[in-house]
Structure formats: C-alpha cells, structure tokens
DNA sequence: AATAAAAAAGGGGTTTTCCCCCTATAAAAA
DNA sequence: TTTTTATAGGGGGAAAACCCCTTTTTTATT
C-alpha cells in the first residue's frame, strides 16, 4: 500500500517531532520531514520535487514566515498540496484568514489523536476536512457581512507598535520624524478604523492582531 | 528491565498524546497516562498510588490549575515525584517560579527529541536536569538581587484588569464601587511598585504577568 | 497638465491622565 | 494603648490625550 506523505511545520521542534511520531503510527501516512518555519518549507519545496508531500500540517504562529503567508505561497505555487492548519488559536478571524489563503482543514491542538487521523484521511482522499464549528463559521462569514477586513499600512503599524510603549505621542512623533499633530491624525484615523475609544484600545488591537508582541 | 513511568500534563490533547507517543519510543520510559490540566492530575494522584509516576512532564499554561500551582502541590504532597517543566515560555521570571516550587528541570518545547530523552534519564537517575542557560539563570538569581518579587492583592489585580479595558478611571471607579480619587491612588501606587510611567505600562505588565489575558 | 486623493501639519478646546501633598478611618503591630 | 500601616478619599494643577475642523504638501489618477 502506498502511504500518503506528510510534512509538519512547527517552530517547536519537540512538538513537530512528537506529532511526526504520531502520524507515523497511522497506517496510511508517512512523514517526509519536519520544518521549523515557512521559509524552511519553501526552500525544501524548491530544492526537489521529491520533497513535495501530499499533505502539510501547518502551525500558524511561527517566526520568519508564518502559517498564513506560507499557506498562501503553497496555494499559489503548489496547488495540488493540501494544507491543514494545526494551531492553538481559536479566533474566528485567524481561522478565516487561513481558509482564505487555501487551507483545506483547521484543527485545534487540543483534539484527539483519532480525529487527526480521520482528518488526514478525509483530506488525502476528498481534498478537505472541516469540523462542524469551522463549517458554521464559514457559513456565517459567507452569509453575514464579509468581515470588515482592516488593512493597515507600514507607517500605521509602526505607530501602533510605539503606541504599545510608554512613550507619549510627542515622543512617538520624534521617533517617527513627524509632527505631533500628524501623530494626532494617525491616532484618530485608527480610532475610527479599528473602532476603539482610546490608546488602550489600540494596544489591545495591536496585540490581538499580532502587530505587537508583548 | 523496569521502565520509569511518566505522566504528561498539557491542555492540548493532541500534543500530550504526541509527546506520549514519543516518550514511549524511549527504551527506559513508559507513559502511564496523560492529563489535560493540573486538577486532573491531582485527582489521579489521589485516586490510587498506582497512578503516581516517577516523572511528570508539566506544561505551564493551563486553564483551571496551571503548571506552577500543580508543581507546588506535587512538591508538598508527593515529594518523591520529579517534575520537569515543558513549556514554550522562555521568560526568566516564569522559569524561576517553576524552579522555586520544585521543578527539577525546565525544557523549552523547541528542543530536540534526543535532548528530551537525555533530560528524562538524568532526572530519573540523578534527580535533576538543567540546561546551561537555566543553570546560569539560577546563578544570577542567587548572587544578584533577589528579584523584587512584586505581590499584588485582589483589588489591585481587579483594577489592573479594568485598566486593560477602554474604561476611563472614573468608569473603573464606578465598576469597583470606589471614589475616582481612590482609583487615582491605586494607579499611582502601582506605577511606582511596577516601575511604569503610564496606563500603557500597566497594561503591558498585566499581560506579561498574566493578570490579564487579551 | 489638471484633478483627485492621501499624507502631513496646524489651531484650539475639552476631557483624562498624571502627580503632587493632605486627611480620615480601620486594622495590625508595638 | 499608642503607634504604625494599610485603605479610602480629597484639592488642585500641569501635562497628556482626545476631538473637532482647516490648510498645505505630496502622490496618484485621469
């Protein structure tokens, strides 16, 4: 019997190795190799076609190149490879982002071994696997308002990072080589765009959306 | 050959099962069972002596009962059980807290499989395992200033949580049924105690020290 | 080249935040 | 029992933060 090949991408070596050990116990699957981040995976893919698996198990939070960016790359360059997200994050926005760039499944890290196996089989044979909760989330996002995708430019992100420090706006203006009045503008634009009322709101948004990591 | 028994505590089922699969591949070790949180472990320990292992692999971030509290309990009630922390957290303060309550080892989740095996052997046979970095951290904390252990009472913690919201201090006062002036006092005390300059500083402290989770 | 659209900056005012220093009361320690 | 010490509260003021609305400059768009 030919086994489906799997690649695991997770910045925590021990975890990717442990999950690899687990996947290798599944009859129909075999782990090709593991990666510590998205860049490593892309390098492998580009090195040789024999490094291109049937399924990728992808963590989302990674340094250098995260799961969303990496999945996006895979969808665009190796559309026959199925990516399943495997993450601790259960935030709707993150899950949707991942599905939007082409992930064909989303599992939380606190599921059972048997569920992982079932999901892998479904994906290898049918091309997708979605839990009930993910399906209903998809429904909601399709029917309901398309989620006000907020896009921030580099200057705004940079300002957000400073806003997470103890600097005053005047000091932030200095750091960014702008007038304090311009910073006033940045802030007010972001207040309305992100729907927050004050600087603490900015800080929380920045953290929740990984613009700033404490 | 008699194998050492191991118990794994991690709220992410898939990870604890995966690590269990890995530990079971080690010659000298055998996984007794896995737990989803500290409370589950304590229940097991209390149920029967046959559920008490030689080594516990303990995650730190868990709901209900975290790794630090649980390790503390084990040290006080089953001193012959060796606890090794296995976490993604590399903050000095967290590591020291864990060692202080009796952990005999601290591994990051991005170590190699072989290192985990070596650590387990060391702990089972010598009673402890410390990486160079943890050892040097211990040295620093012993020689250097004893770490200004900041203790916050319940009211202060509750105030900190509100400070992480978009409420004004006046609104926080309302919520806590105190005068705005008292809240002023709370804030100023915490500013000096936590060595921060403004509300953003409070927010960052609260998040870093898990008083508030975004 | 003309026009639209961002981005940068200012004027000016209200509210909050921050930071002094001071009082009353209750609980804990001497 | 006096003396700390912790907790709740107050007055007042300077500095930020917040929130309008307007102007200049730069960058795209037609």
């Amino acid at each position: 019997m030919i086994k489906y090949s799997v690649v695991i991408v997770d910045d925590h070596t021990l975890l990717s190795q442990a999950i690899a050990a687990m996947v290798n116990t599944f009859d129909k699957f075999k782990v090709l190799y593991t990666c510590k981040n998205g860049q490593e995976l892309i390098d492998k893919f580009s090195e040789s076609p024999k490094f291109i698996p049937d399924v990728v198990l992808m963590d989302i939070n990674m340094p250098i190149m995260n799961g969303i960016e990496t999945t996006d790359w895979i969808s665009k360059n190796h559309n026959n490879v199925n990516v399943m997200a495997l993450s601790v994050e259960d935030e709707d926005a993150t899950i949707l982002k991942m599905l939007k760039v082409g992930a064909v499944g989303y599992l939380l890290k606190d599921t059972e071994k048997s569920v992982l196996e079932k999901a892998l089989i479904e994906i290898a044979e049918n091309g997708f696997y979605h839990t009930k909760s993910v399906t209903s989330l998809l429904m909601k996002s399709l029917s309901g308002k398309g989620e006000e995708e907020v896009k921030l430019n580099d200057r705004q992100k940079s300002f957000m990072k400073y806003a997470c420090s103890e600097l005053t706006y005047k000091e932030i203006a200095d750091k960014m080589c702008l007038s304090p009045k311009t910073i006033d503008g940045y802030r007010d634009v972001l207040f309305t765009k992100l729907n927050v009322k004050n600087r603490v709101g900015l800080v929380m948004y920045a953290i929740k959306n990984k613009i700033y990591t404490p």
Side-chain angles (χ1 to χ4, degrees), chain A residues 175-190:
Chain A
K175 291 262 184 195
M176 295 183 68
C177 297
L178 291 169
S179 149
K181 274 298 177 180
T182 307
I183 293 297
D184 260 34
Y186 273 56
R187 181 198 56 212
D188 295 348
V189 166
L190 288 171

Side-chain angles (χ1 to χ4, degrees), chain A residues 45-73:
Chain A
F45 271 42
S46 310
E47 198 180 319
S48 159
K50 70 168 185 275
F51 289 143
I52 296 174
D54 298 310
V55 183
V56 174
L57 281 181
M58 179 84 69
D59 186 32
I60 295 184
N61 296 314
M62 291 182 294
I64 303 179
M65 186 138 186
N66 71 32
I68 294 170
E69 296 166 327
T70 311
T71 303
D72 197 26
W73 183 88

Side-chain angles (χ1 to χ4, degrees), chain A residues 4-5 21 33 46 52 55 85 123 135 154 182 205:
Chain A
Y4 296 108
S5 55
Y33 54 89
S46 310
I52 296 174
V55 183
I123 285 180
T135 306
D154 287 355
T182 307
Y205 183 94

Side-chain angles (χ1 to χ4, degrees), chain A residues 16-26 31 111-114 116:
Chain A
S16 57
Q17 290 181 355
I19 290 172
M22 180 183 266
V23 170
N24 275 329
T25 69
F26 299 159
V31 175
T111 52
E112 289 282 329
K113 177 179 175 174
S114 57
L116 173 63

Side-chain angles (χ1 to χ4, degrees), chain A residues 126-143:
Chain A
N126 302 330
F128 70 95
Y129 171 87
H130 291 314
T131 58
K132 268 161 281 158
S133 62
V134 168
T135 306
S136 79
L137 173 64
L138 268 174
M139 292 308 198
K140 242 193 301 176
S141 91
L142 280 175
S143 60

Side-chain angles (χ1 to χ4, degrees), chain A residues 68 93-94 96-97 100 145-152 193-194 205 209:
Chain A
I68 294 170
T94 310
L96 282 175
K97 263 187 223 161
K100 207 169 284 180
K145 61 272 157 216
E147 284 301 311
E148 353 79 37
E149 174 80 21
V150 181
K151 265 273 174 188
L152 302 188
K193 197 192 276 210
L194 307 180
Y205 183 94
N209 293 275

